[in-house]
Amino acid sequence: MSTSSPTTTPDLGTELTLRGIVLGILITLVFTAANVYFGLKAGLTFATSIPAAVISMALLRRAAGNSIGETNIVQTIASSAGTLSSIIFVLPGLVMIGWWTGFPYWMSTTLCALGGVLGVMYSIPLRRALVTNSPLPYPEGVACAEVLKVGHASDGGESSRQGLTAIVTGAVVSAAFSVVVATQVFAGNLAQYFRLPGGEKNGATGYDLNFSFALLAVGHLVGLWVGIAILVGACIAWLGGVPYLTQGVDGAAEAVALFAWSKKVRFIGAGCIAVAAIWTLIKLARPVVAGLHSAAMSARVRKAGKADTLPRNERDIPIGTVGLITLACMLPIGFMLSSFATSAGLGDQLGLLVVGGVVYVVLMSFFVAAVCGYMAGLIGSSNSPLSGVGILVVIGVSLLLALVVKPMLPPSTGQALVAFALFVTAVVFAVATISNDNLQDLKTGQLVDATPWRQQVALIIGVVAGAVVIPPVLDLLNQAYGFAGAPGADPKKALAAPQAALISALAKGVIQGDLNWNLIGIGTLIGAACIVVDEVLKRSTNGRAHLAPLAVGLGIYLPLNSTLTIVVGAVAGWLFERAAARRRDPEATKQLGVLMASGLIVGESLLGVILAAVVVFSGNGAPLALVGDSFATAGQVLGFLAFAGIGFGLYRWLLSKQA
């Protein structure tokens, strides 16, 4: 890569081109499939802007008229793959509770598309507050802008080739490792559950290290302090909550430990995440109001016939058009709510459900758009509180249904109300996912002097492309693996879908009246304590150290086989960046690390989708297996040695490029 970040931005050039739109759509389709699989497996999705930017620069660098503006549009379209796919944190819940057996294509696609378009609309008045007039760092947006500037600088050809090499190498390595794991020659994880010393009645705990290069890469991307916060959450869960709740409980250590975590401890994490999201909203109040005022003033300028006096890089989709599109989205959303409620046997209160549902979507959507946009700017799209706001949204709608609607319906409609709550939550969640990323894209656009309204149009295109592919991929994975806790799913191979499981459990607990609010209360206290510690750390270290309350909550309720590997990746990434700081071009070396990490995630995720297809069409749960259970111990040793050795080798290889 170049020796330093460029100080000037290359000429913007033509932004919206047919080839750029087509390339962006193709990348979106591929990365969306990968993200759906990875999100269901690990409870996390990855940002796709940077790899999309590198791929588009490599493919278009010799094309006539290629410009930084065109490449920026490609990454903007493709970024929807890293965000809209987060709908899988809610939608599989309808299968988990047994309401759906699959994903109705048109209803699922329309839900994703409408929610995504609303997310774009809601983020427009937030742009001035959270991007233009904000000190938020937007780590991924800034990184993507630097990649675009370097790639389109005078030596950008070599820069984009090195970046593409890093992505491809990471993808090939992680995919190949996943293939060997599928043969069972390498074990997929190293796990052990046990009773604490002192007797068979003592509390149980354990560890589970997943040999996943994708999770290792997630840790690299989120950074050391987020990794530490996740580790703190995991320790609270597995060294505190699980051992305490399993004292005196009979049964195998693994069974009782996993039961205590999934049925009780995760609700503590839910409370922690909820507090973090509310705290974010409180901090957002003033900038959000200022942003709305700025958007209104811009609209007055347009009405006065002075639109051409606005700087090009400050021209959004007009606020009046935003209002009309928002209203146009609400009409089909109301129709979908009506159709869902009628088919669920809730027709006696149809008017109340539809009107109340639409009002809830309007108000709660703006809330989650603001919270997610702020958190994306603070710690990056990959770490923003999608799960946390999902928890708040589902608890809110479930409480309203339980208090207002349930008393007017027969007891037999309880499950239907749970399904309706999940459906409304899914709509709001689709809004949250897009706003989560759109502001990151607009920050990139600001830094490369792009036109906001063109980026907003591009993201709408990406939303529609992603919405088209999500339902069939979900169906494929449901048939191949199933979702943990769903009727008929094999727990040994089912995808964890941790957020969907938690959100479904919350909806059922609130509506059926058996939710343990004490556990959520404990979580809120932990979250409040984390907020205090976080603020003290930031002030005492000038922002160098922090303890993100959201990440602590994630560490409590994400599966242990996700959190431990992420923590290892965070430490590995920190050590790599310390070594990179001693190279001749530290920033370029660090950026290669980011690109390789993106490739690791893409490779393993895409291979997972391919293997799912093989499982479905072969009818064999382990179609590539070469050895049986008797090889399990040897497989763990081989898997661990290979995972550690390959990871170390990849980092050494990157450092050698900038020796």
Side-chain angles (χ1 to χ4, degrees):
M1 286 191 162
S2 67
T3 56
S4 64
S5 298
T7 56
T8 59
T9 301
D11 291 338
L12 185 64
T14 304
E15 294 179 83
L16 281 171
T17 65
L18 179 60
R19 69 185 178 193
I21 292 171
V22 171
L23 180 57
I25 290 173
L26 292 175
I27 296 174
T28 296
L29 296 177
V30 174
F31 280 3
T32 297
N35 249 327
V36 168
Y37 170 77
F38 188 61
L40 290 169
K41 176 183 178 181
L44 297 166
T45 56
F46 62 95
T48 53
S49 294
I50 292 176
V54 172
I55 290 170
S56 62
M57 282 190 294
L59 295 177
L60 296 175
R61 64 189 178 88
R62 296 188 184 278
N66 174 237
S67 65
I68 192 171
E70 182 180 36
T71 307
N72 181 51
I73 289 296
V74 173
Q75 71 83 16
T76 299
I77 294 173
S79 70
S80 62
T83 52
L84 189 59
S85 53
S86 297
I87 192 68
I88 53 94
F89 292 166
V90 179
L91 213 52
L94 289 164
V95 174
M96 290 176 158
I97 66 171
W99 193 258
W100 282 356
T101 57
F103 297 89
Y105 182 78
W106 288 111
M107 180 168 281
S108 301
T109 299
T110 304
L111 183 153
C112 292
L114 290 173
V117 171
L118 274 177
V120 178
M121 295 302 105
Y122 280 165
S123 66
I124 290 171
L126 293 172
R127 183 183 69 83
R128 289 178 175 84
L130 299 183
V131 177
T132 305
N133 304 317
S134 170
L136 291 171
Y138 286 97
E140 292 157 349
V142 171
C144 189
E146 292 305 318
V147 169
L148 290 173
K149 291 179 183 179
V150 170
H152 285 276
S154 58
D155 63 342
E158 177 62 24
S159 301
S160 60
R161 279 194 297 272
Q162 285 196 4
L164 184 61
T165 298
I167 289 178
V168 171
T169 300
V172 170
V173 167
S174 63
F177 189 85
S178 296
V179 169
V180 181
V181 170
T183 67
Q184 298 183 4
V185 173
F186 291 170
N189 65 321
L190 180 65
Q192 183 182 6
Y193 295 88
F194 47 85
R195 296 280 183 176
L196 294 175
E200 294 184 359
K201 293 291 186 179
N202 275 14
T205 189
Y207 60 85
D208 190 342
L209 181 66
N210 195 333
F211 302 148
S212 165
F213 280 107
L215 290 172
L216 186 80
V218 169
H220 180 115
L221 293 175
V222 302
L224 179 66
W225 285 102
V226 172
I228 289 174
I230 290 175
L231 179 61
V232 169
C235 289
I236 290 172
W238 290 93
L239 297 181
V242 171
Y244 177 77
L245 293 170
T246 53
Q247 286 183 0
V249 179
D250 292 325
E254 179 176 358
V256 298
L258 290 176
F259 181 87
W261 169 77
S262 63
K263 301 300 182 182
K264 296 182 179 180
V265 174
R266 281 200 307 176
F267 291 98
I268 297 176
C272 182
I273 292 171
V275 167
I278 292 172
W279 173 245
T280 300
L281 179 65
I282 294 171
K283 293 168 68 176
L284 266 180
R286 181 176 294 179
V288 167
V289 171
L292 289 172
H293 179 263
S294 179
M297 294 302 294
S298 178
R300 290 181 185 177
V301 171
R302 286 190 175 88
K303 286 182 179 180
K306 300 179 181 179
D308 56 345
T309 64
L310 290 172
R312 177 186 49 76
N313 56 9
E314 282 298 314
R315 296 178 186 174
D316 296 291
I317 294 175
I319 197 69
T321 304
V322 170
L324 290 175
I325 294 175
T326 300
L327 179 61
C329 288
M330 290 303 169
L331 294 176
I333 286 175
F335 177 79
M336 282 199 304
L337 293 176
S338 174
S339 176
F340 191 94
T342 301
S343 64
L346 301 173
D348 290 346
Q349 298 298 326
L350 185 62
L352 179 60
L353 288 169
V354 173
V355 173
V358 169
V359 171
Y360 189 81
V361 167
V362 171
L363 298 179
M364 205 64 174
S365 293
F366 192 80
F367 160 67
V368 298
V371 171
C372 290
Y374 179 86
M375 289 302 290
L378 184 65
I379 58 175
S381 300
S382 301
N383 310 311
S384 60
L386 292 178
S387 303
V389 297
I391 289 166
L392 288 176
V393 172
V394 76
I395 288 179
V397 69
S398 299
L399 279 172
L400 289 172
L401 290 172
L403 296 174
V404 179
V405 181
K406 184 180 177 181
M408 296 185 287
L409 292 171
S412 59
T413 58
Q415 188 77 340
L417 287 173
V418 172
F420 188 81
L422 292 176
F423 192 78
V424 172
T425 302
V427 177
V428 178
F429 210 79
V431 177
T433 61
I434 291 302
S435 178
N436 174 52
D437 187 75
N438 193 18
L439 294 173
Q440 201 84 243
D441 290 323
L442 292 172
K443 182 63 178 182
T444 299
Q446 179 196 34
L447 295 174
V448 301
D449 200 33
T451 310
W453 75 261
R454 290 188 172 96
Q455 282 191 277
Q456 290 151 7
V457 169
L459 200 70
I460 291 173
I461 294 171
V463 162
V464 175
V468 167
V469 76
I470 286 174
V473 173
L474 280 172
D475 267 327
L476 179 68
L477 296 173
N478 184 35
Q479 292 179 50
Y481 305 115
F483 306 126
D490 182 355
K492 293 183 179 180
K493 67 176 185 177
L495 294 169
Q499 282 91 341
L502 177 60
I503 288 173
S504 302
L506 287 169
K508 291 172 66 176
V510 173
I511 291 174
Q512 295 174 1
D514 57 1
L515 182 65
N516 190 335
W517 290 98
N518 290 333
L519 294 174
I520 294 179
I522 293 171
T524 61
L525 293 176
I526 292 173
C530 290
I531 289 171
V532 172
V533 172
D534 185 42
E535 293 296 322
V536 171
L537 278 175
K538 287 177 181 176
R539 293 179 184 181
S540 61
T541 64
N542 279 336
R544 292 190 302 272
H546 60 94
L547 184 73
L550 169 71
V552 175
L554 286 172
I556 295 173
Y557 88 81
L558 282 179
L560 196 60
N561 67 355
S562 295
T563 54
L564 289 187
T565 311
I566 291 173
V567 172
V568 171
V571 174
W574 174 69
L575 292 173
F576 168 77
E577 294 201 348
R578 290 189 64 186
R582 298 190 292 270
R583 294 306 191 260
R584 60 182 172 84
D585 189 349
E587 293 306 315
T589 306
K590 292 176 183 178
Q591 191 58 50
L592 282 177
V594 171
L595 295 173
M596 185 193 72
S598 299
L600 289 172
I601 296 172
V602 170
E604 182 176 319
S605 301
L606 289 178
L607 199 280
V609 175
I610 293 170
L611 284 178
V614 174
V615 169
V616 170
F617 293 119
S618 69
N620 184 351
L624 302 185
L626 300 178
V627 296
D629 293 340
S630 60
F631 196 75
T633 302
Q636 286 186 334
V637 174
L638 291 174
F640 175 77
L641 293 176
F643 184 68
I646 293 171
F648 181 78
L650 285 172
Y651 280 122
R652 291 290 301 172
W653 171 69
L654 286 182
L655 291 170
S656 70
K657 287 188 168 296
Q658 298 285 342

